[in-house]
Amino acid sequence: MPEPAVLTLRGISKRFGAVQALKDFDLEVHAGEVVALVGDNGAGKSTAVKSIAGVNPPDEGVIEWEGRAVSINRPHDAQNLGIATVYQDLALCDNLDVVGNLFLGRELRRLGVLDEVRMEQRSRELLNTLSIRIPSVRIPVASLSGGQRQTVAIARSLIGDPKVVILDEPTAALGVEQTAEVLDLVERLREHGLGTILISHNMVDVMAVADRIAVMRLGRNNGFFDKRSTTTEEIISAITGATDSAVTRRQARKREEER
Amino acid sequence: MRRDRAPGDSAAQEPAPDAVPAVDSRLLVREEGIRGYLGEFRRKLRSGELGSLPVVVAVIIIWTVFGSLDSTFLSAQNLSDLSQQIVGTGMIAVGIVFVLLLGEIDLSVGSVSGLCAAIFAVLNVLNGMNQWLALLVALVGGAAVGLIQGFFFAKVGVPAFVVTLAGNLAWNGLMLQVLGTSGTVNIPSESIVSKLYSTIFHSPAAAYVTAAVGVGLFLAASLLDARRRRTARVPYRPVAEIVLRTVVIAAIAFVTAYILNQYQGLPLALLIFLIVLVILDFVLRRTTYGRRIFAVGGNIEGARRAGISVPFVRMSVFSICGFMAAVGGIFLAGQIQSASQTSGGGNLLMNVIAAAVIGGTSLFGGRGSVWSALLGALVIGSIQSGMNIMGVSNAVQFMITGSVLLAAVVVDSLSRRSQKAAGRA
Ligand SMILES: Nc1ncnc2c1ncn2[C@@H]1O[C@H](COP(=O)(O)OP(=O)(O)O)[C@@H](O)[C@H]1O
Ligand SMILES: [Mg+2]
């Protein structure tokens, strides 16, 4: 990558009581790049995401934004920098329409009154540029399919013009057709120059859209893979720990030395 | 909610040829004209989006039945009286609508309304406080009571129905305390509270001008909105449709004005009620604050993540409910020209909750409108008025009102179920 990373994590650690959820975790995200974050259940993927999103600030380590060290202590800090997060439970308001959900918490106003016209206009533009297919922007999101709801949630994260978007298991609950819709959208995020962190369990999805794959194991990095020069088997063995990467070898050695 | 196509505005509908259309044209695009309306109507019925339809049907049935049983029911005098009688219940029901939108309930509004009436009566009549000041204290008192209950719900985390059930008893006790040994305080007919209820604008012009202003504002707002939408290239209501809607509203407004004028004219209480409804409807649908109430009622976690302060919304809504209970209590006191130990008791609580739910506001939160308070109060008021004319006993009236509430809740539950089945809840 010629340009510097938008978001860089260096040596992030996070401990919950007796659980070392993250240890010396590194990650880089560039503009126009999809980084898949994969790992077994409990590997620390969500914890990593929450430390970037300001939900659970890390205990140690450095977060750099466009080459400059920043501290992200609250969700607000992350949003202000330009980091948008779509959590696994989408947290959409079923009774509100698509426009209402897209602008929830940052409604456009005109003379103190909701500016429905401009919000609807911007919603349509946004959905159009992302080629998101929704029956109407004025129907309650309750009547949308799972995939459409996911795309609305992702579109909503883009309202504030973020530079990095984090998607936590966006396809976990979706069928084939709907998964395809969401993966299409992820590719469009890349086309629009956004950096995307995609958390997924599904190797097929990961190999379909990711540029780079960061494997986590037991709260640590267990290798970075370039999509073009790796295989699904290689990644799965890194996830399961069947083959230790150089990184884990080094870490294991350090631990030995510490004892 | 606008689901209609913008005719003659292809750009809003069809994106640039190389882009994939964002709007899937198979769905929810309404045909134009009457046929479109009927189609949409059938779709809504099937998916359980009943809105105010059941209550409008209920009003028609109730009026037909009572009207055919006794011709005095549909007389100008009885309908005029009805328009005044529903105001007290309706005002309290508006507060209940706000609380129901959060998916909560307030069981204390009856007691709060009685308490606030007693506060006014004791301060003004017994202690000679300026009547406007006494009125202000009573209303602020209602808001404060609501805020206290909201605090225990939102900040302490006690379920709302428990807090307000406790409040129901406690505020009733406080009212008895305030009334003290006097028991009943009569409110003179020249008092502001009596006048709020009993004033009637006798000039026929008052009712007609009010109707004209209301219809005019609706038409102007609709046309302006359509024009802005058209310039912004988003779907808008065609002029023909706006005219049709305006005609329907004008018919209702002017027939009402005509009937009122056949008796004594436009009651001040009704006018105030309508103004309150218009203002609060605006607050709910057109302001950020209203949007937050719907959001909290729809998904608490979603609202929180969107940066909405859920405790603030909850406390303020309970405060609004307390305030509206006070307003309703004042009108009820003006109606009987007294505040007594029975104020706010009896089946008032049942009636206001019934009114809100019958009017079409869901018990499950997130769906409803303040106009339910008007429609629901009209149903409850009509049943009571009709049964009084027929000489039906209180015992039977209670049973019938209870059944009507149950029916409304059943409709709400069933419509929610079919909405779920149709993927709309
Ligand atoms: N808030 C928390 N309190 C205590 N332990 C936690 C908390 N969040 C995560 N953990 C623990 O941290 C580890 C990593 O969890 P998580 O990041 O959710 O994994 P993943 O998302 O990769 O499945 C797990 O062992 C989990 O139990
Ligand atoms: Mg997780």
Side-chain angles (χ1 to χ4, degrees):
Chain A
M1 295 281 158
E3 38 185 329
V6 189
L7 178 69
T8 312
L9 306 191
R10 273 194 237 287
I12 299 289
S13 296
K14 178 76 190 176
R15 177 185 271 281
F16 294 109
V19 183
Q20 186 76 51
L22 281 182
K23 182 75 184 155
D24 279 335
F25 177 67
D26 297 340
L27 190 69
E28 264 188 19
V29 188
H30 295 84
E33 178 192 44
V34 179
V35 180
L37 192 55
V38 298
D40 237 344
N41 269 334
K45 306 181 294 292
S46 296
T47 307
V49 161
K50 283 175 185 162
S51 66
I52 306 170
V55 178
N56 284 327
D59 300 333
E60 280 169 49
V62 182
I63 301 180
E64 282 175 17
W65 181 257
E66 293 173 335
R68 177 170 58 83
V70 291
S71 63
I72 303 178
N73 298 315
R74 296 172 303 144
H76 208 70
D77 298 339
Q79 279 161 21
N80 285 349
L81 287 173
I83 301 171
T85 313
V86 181
Y87 295 96
Q88 202 165 341
D89 59 321
L90 305 177
L92 295 172
C93 290
D94 280 350
N95 57 329
L96 296 183
D97 61 21
V98 175
V99 178
N101 271 289
L102 288 180
F103 284 90
L104 191 61
R106 51 195 157 195
E107 292 85 0
L108 303 180
R109 280 178 299 177
R110 181 167 164 260
L111 309 172
V113 175
L114 291 180
D115 191 348
E116 293 288 355
V117 177
R118 211 148 61 82
M119 287 195 278
E120 184 166 334
Q121 196 181 20
R122 284 203 39 198
S123 302
R124 290 168 149 257
E125 283 166 10
L126 179 67
L127 298 182
N128 260 332
T129 41
L130 297 170
S131 303
I132 294 177
R133 297 165 140 274
I134 301 273
S136 155
V137 293
R138 284 300 181 187
I139 53 170
V141 293
S143 51
L144 300 180
S145 72
Q148 288 169 334
R149 293 161 62 84
Q150 184 73 52
T151 52
V152 168
I154 295 173
R156 170 167 144 188
S157 72
L158 303 179
I159 290 279
D161 275 331
K163 290 187 172 161
V164 170
V165 179
I166 305 170
L167 308 175
D168 194 352
E169 303 267 7
T171 58
L174 301 183
V176 178
E177 178 68 28
Q178 298 177 351
T179 298
E181 257 175 64
V182 172
L183 295 182
D184 284 351
L185 179 54
V186 172
E187 286 188 335
R188 253 164 270 130
L189 296 182
R190 171 171 49 207
E191 285 159 23
H192 283 83
L194 288 157
T196 307
I197 301 176
L198 172 73
I199 298 182
S200 181
H201 263 116
N202 188 324
M203 275 313 124
V204 182
D205 295 358
V206 168
M207 295 307 276
V209 291
D211 300 304
R212 283 191 308 125
I213 297 139
V215 179
M216 289 189 78
R217 186 167 153 70
L218 303 176
R220 295 159 188 270
N221 293 105
N222 202 26
F224 294 93
F225 299 87
D226 192 314
K227 204 269 295 288
R228 284 161 303 186
S229 56
T230 188
T231 61
T232 307
E233 291 70 33
E234 203 177 351
I235 293 168
I236 289 178
S237 48
I239 291 172
T240 57
T243 57
D244 281 346
S245 72
V247 182
T248 43
R249 288 252 168 94
R250 256 161 45 87
Q251 282 166 347
R253 228 179 9 242
K254 259 192 216 157
R255 257 174 288 158
E256 293 291 339
E257 283 161 11
E258 279 165 19
R259 283 206 195 115
Chain B
M1 204 159 291
R2 238 155 295 244
R3 245 155 257 177
D4 30 357
R5 168 162 52 187
D9 184 10
S10 56
Q13 209 46 220
E14 286 138 35
D18 54 338
V20 189
V23 179
D24 186 335
S25 55
R26 289 166 307 177
L27 282 154
L28 295 171
V29 178
R30 209 174 73 202
E31 284 179 68
E32 280 153 47
I34 305 286
R35 195 128 68 88
Y37 259 114
L38 286 179
E40 166 132 323
F41 182 66
R42 271 199 296 269
R43 186 188 61 70
K44 281 192 167 182
L45 276 193
R46 263 200 310 275
S47 64
E49 276 175 88
L50 301 174
S52 339
L53 180 73
V55 66
V56 171
V57 172
V59 170
I60 293 173
I61 293 175
I62 291 165
W63 285 24
T64 317
V65 169
F66 283 123
S68 60
L69 289 176
D70 193 323
S71 58
T72 52
F73 180 80
L74 290 180
S75 68
Q77 175 175 356
N78 192 50
L79 293 180
S80 294
D81 287 346
L82 188 60
S83 78
Q84 273 172 295
Q85 286 156 8
I86 62 171
V87 172
T89 318
M91 290 283 195
I92 305 176
V94 170
I96 292 290
V97 167
F98 272 74
V99 172
L100 287 182
L101 283 177
L102 292 185
E104 303 295 338
I105 190 76
D106 186 337
L107 300 174
S108 72
V109 285
S111 295
V112 174
S113 74
L115 170 65
C116 296
I119 289 175
F120 171 84
V122 167
L123 287 180
N124 171 235
V125 181
L126 296 188
N127 293 330
M129 181 188 270
N130 173 294
Q131 55 178 357
W132 289 100
L133 190 59
L135 183 63
L136 187 69
V137 172
L139 297 180
V140 170
V145 162
L147 193 64
I148 292 169
Q149 298 187 144
F151 172 82
F152 279 99
F153 166 53
K155 294 281 193 188
V156 183
V158 188
F161 90 93
V162 181
V163 174
T164 57
L165 190 59
N168 184 42
L169 187 64
W171 306 121
N172 190 244
L174 182 58
M175 177 190 80
L176 297 177
Q177 188 81 38
V178 167
L179 287 171
T181 48
S182 48
T184 300
V185 181
N186 288 316
I187 299 171
S189 57
E190 60 278 7
S191 159
I192 167 81
V193 167
S194 300
K195 283 196 181 143
L196 273 177
Y197 183 81
S198 59
T199 303
I200 293 181
F201 301 110
H202 294 294
S203 158
Y208 289 130
V209 167
T210 304
V213 168
V215 172
L217 284 178
F218 176 81
L219 180 63
S222 306
L223 289 175
L224 280 178
D225 184 59
R227 205 178 64 185
R228 262 203 86 210
R229 290 180 156 270
R230 205 163 104 183
T231 5
R233 295 180 165 274
V234 295
Y236 59 94
R237 265 188 224 290
V239 176
E241 201 183 310
I242 292 176
V243 170
L244 184 68
R245 295 165 69 95
T246 309
V247 166
V248 171
I249 287 176
I252 297 171
F254 281 97
V255 167
T256 308
Y258 174 79
I259 293 172
L260 293 173
N261 282 337
Q262 287 300 296
Y263 185 52
Q264 290 189 326
L266 174 68
L268 174 64
L270 178 64
L271 180 63
I272 295 176
F273 187 32
L274 292 176
I275 291 174
V276 166
L277 288 175
V278 169
I279 292 174
L280 292 183
D281 183 50
F282 184 84
V283 168
L284 276 185
R285 293 193 305 118
R286 296 271 176 252
T287 67
T288 317
Y289 176 65
R291 182 59 49 86
R292 290 182 181 167
I293 294 176
F294 278 97
V296 172
N299 185 342
I300 293 165
E301 186 55 29
R304 197 174 284 134
R305 294 234 192 103
I308 294 171
S309 163
V310 177
F312 168 78
V313 171
R314 287 176 161 171
M315 285 171 62
S316 59
V317 163
F318 273 85
S319 187
I320 289 172
C321 186
F323 178 82
M324 291 312 297
V327 172
I330 292 294
F331 277 95
L332 291 172
Q335 186 172 355
I336 56 170
Q337 302 206 338
S338 74
S340 75
Q341 295 181 334
T342 58
S343 291
N347 54 352
L348 178 65
L349 173 63
M350 212 57 202
N351 282 348
V352 294
I353 294 176
V357 177
I358 290 169
T361 292
S362 174
L363 279 172
F364 304 103
R367 281 186 297 132
S369 122
V370 290
W371 296 98
S372 338
L374 172 65
L375 291 169
L378 199 56
V379 168
I380 297 281
S382 301
I383 293 174
Q384 282 183 340
S385 158
M387 289 194 295
N388 284 337
I389 290 175
M390 312 265 313
V392 177
S393 73
N394 254 353
V396 177
Q397 289 202 16
F398 280 15
M399 289 190 276
I400 290 184
T401 310
S403 311
V404 172
L405 173 57
L406 183 63
V409 176
V410 168
V411 169
D412 183 29
S413 306
L414 290 181
S415 97
R416 183 177 150 92
R417 209 157 68 182
S418 61
Q419 283 192 331
K420 271 206 168 134
R424 282 179 176 268

PDB file of all heavy atoms in Angstrom, chain A residues 41 45-47 88 168-169 199, ligand 2:
ATOM      1  N   ASN A  41     -14.748 -18.522  18.078  1.00  0.00           N
ATOM      2  CA  ASN A  41     -15.559 -17.875  19.100  1.00  0.00           C
ATOM      3  C   ASN A  41     -14.693 -17.567  20.312  1.00  0.00           C
ATOM      4  O   ASN A  41     -13.948 -18.414  20.774  1.00  0.00           O
ATOM      5  CB  ASN A  41     -16.698 -18.795  19.535  1.00  0.00           C
ATOM      6  CG  ASN A  41     -17.924 -18.551  18.691  1.00  0.00           C
ATOM      7  OD1 ASN A  41     -18.099 -17.452  18.161  1.00  0.00           O
ATOM      8  ND2 ASN A  41     -18.757 -19.564  18.559  1.00  0.00           N
ATOM      9  N   LYS A  45     -12.438 -10.948  18.747  1.00  0.00           N
ATOM     10  CA  LYS A  45     -12.780 -10.071  17.614  1.00  0.00           C
ATOM     11  C   LYS A  45     -13.663  -8.913  18.070  1.00  0.00           C
ATOM     12  O   LYS A  45     -13.376  -7.751  17.779  1.00  0.00           O
ATOM     13  CB  LYS A  45     -13.511 -10.879  16.527  1.00  0.00           C
ATOM     14  CG  LYS A  45     -12.758 -12.120  16.056  1.00  0.00           C
ATOM     15  CD  LYS A  45     -13.512 -12.849  14.974  1.00  0.00           C
ATOM     16  CE  LYS A  45     -14.827 -13.452  15.428  1.00  0.00           C
ATOM     17  NZ  LYS A  45     -14.663 -14.571  16.390  1.00  0.00           N
ATOM     18  N   SER A  46     -14.737  -9.260  18.796  1.00  0.00           N
ATOM     19  CA  SER A  46     -15.651  -8.202  19.233  1.00  0.00           C
ATOM     20  C   SER A  46     -14.957  -7.253  20.197  1.00  0.00           C
ATOM     21  O   SER A  46     -15.198  -6.046  20.176  1.00  0.00           O
ATOM     22  CB  SER A  46     -16.891  -8.805  19.892  1.00  0.00           C
ATOM     23  OG  SER A  46     -17.616  -9.560  18.951  1.00  0.00           O
ATOM     24  N   THR A  47     -14.093  -7.797  21.038  1.00  0.00           N
ATOM     25  CA  THR A  47     -13.365  -6.943  21.975  1.00  0.00           C
ATOM     26  C   THR A  47     -12.471  -5.969  21.219  1.00  0.00           C
ATOM     27  O   THR A  47     -12.388  -4.778  21.569  1.00  0.00           O
ATOM     28  CB  THR A  47     -12.523  -7.805  22.932  1.00  0.00           C
ATOM     29  OG1 THR A  47     -13.371  -8.780  23.520  1.00  0.00           O
ATOM     30  CG2 THR A  47     -11.896  -6.957  24.012  1.00  0.00           C
ATOM     31  N   GLN A  88     -23.726  -6.458  15.712  1.00  0.00           N
ATOM     32  CA  GLN A  88     -24.434  -7.643  15.226  1.00  0.00           C
ATOM     33  C   GLN A  88     -25.948  -7.507  15.388  1.00  0.00           C
ATOM     34  O   GLN A  88     -26.703  -7.820  14.482  1.00  0.00           O
ATOM     35  CB  GLN A  88     -23.915  -8.869  15.978  1.00  0.00           C
ATOM     36  CG  GLN A  88     -24.154 -10.150  15.241  1.00  0.00           C
ATOM     37  CD  GLN A  88     -23.325 -11.273  15.825  1.00  0.00           C
ATOM     38  OE1 GLN A  88     -22.347 -11.037  16.529  1.00  0.00           O
ATOM     39  NE2 GLN A  88     -23.709 -12.492  15.545  1.00  0.00           N
ATOM     40  N   ASP A 168     -19.703  -6.077  12.284  1.00  0.00           N
ATOM     41  CA  ASP A 168     -19.562  -7.257  13.135  1.00  0.00           C
ATOM     42  C   ASP A 168     -20.553  -8.324  12.676  1.00  0.00           C
ATOM     43  O   ASP A 168     -21.755  -8.158  12.843  1.00  0.00           O
ATOM     44  CB  ASP A 168     -19.807  -6.870  14.602  1.00  0.00           C
ATOM     45  CG  ASP A 168     -19.339  -7.964  15.560  1.00  0.00           C
ATOM     46  OD1 ASP A 168     -18.976  -9.061  15.084  1.00  0.00           O
ATOM     47  OD2 ASP A 168     -19.338  -7.719  16.777  1.00  0.00           O
ATOM     48  N   GLU A 169     -20.045  -9.378  12.074  1.00  0.00           N
ATOM     49  CA  GLU A 169     -20.857 -10.509  11.617  1.00  0.00           C
ATOM     50  C   GLU A 169     -22.086 -10.073  10.815  1.00  0.00           C
ATOM     51  O   GLU A 169     -23.210 -10.426  11.173  1.00  0.00           O
ATOM     52  CB  GLU A 169     -21.326 -11.339  12.825  1.00  0.00           C
ATOM     53  CG  GLU A 169     -20.196 -11.860  13.690  1.00  0.00           C
ATOM     54  CD  GLU A 169     -19.745 -13.253  13.300  1.00  0.00           C
ATOM     55  OE1 GLU A 169     -20.221 -13.768  12.263  1.00  0.00           O
ATOM     56  OE2 GLU A 169     -18.902 -13.812  14.006  1.00  0.00           O
ATOM     57  N   ILE A 199     -15.932  -8.525  10.208  1.00  0.00           N
ATOM     58  CA  ILE A 199     -15.800  -9.690  11.074  1.00  0.00           C
ATOM     59  C   ILE A 199     -16.721 -10.764  10.535  1.00  0.00           C
ATOM     60  O   ILE A 199     -17.888 -10.493  10.248  1.00  0.00           O
ATOM     61  CB  ILE A 199     -16.202  -9.344  12.517  1.00  0.00           C
ATOM     62  CG1 ILE A 199     -15.259  -8.258  13.049  1.00  0.00           C
ATOM     63  CG2 ILE A 199     -16.170 -10.579  13.394  1.00  0.00           C
ATOM     64  CD1 ILE A 199     -15.554  -7.885  14.468  1.00  0.00           C
TER      65      ILE A 199
HETATM   66 MG    MG C   2     -18.213 -11.570  18.692  1.00  0.00          MG
END
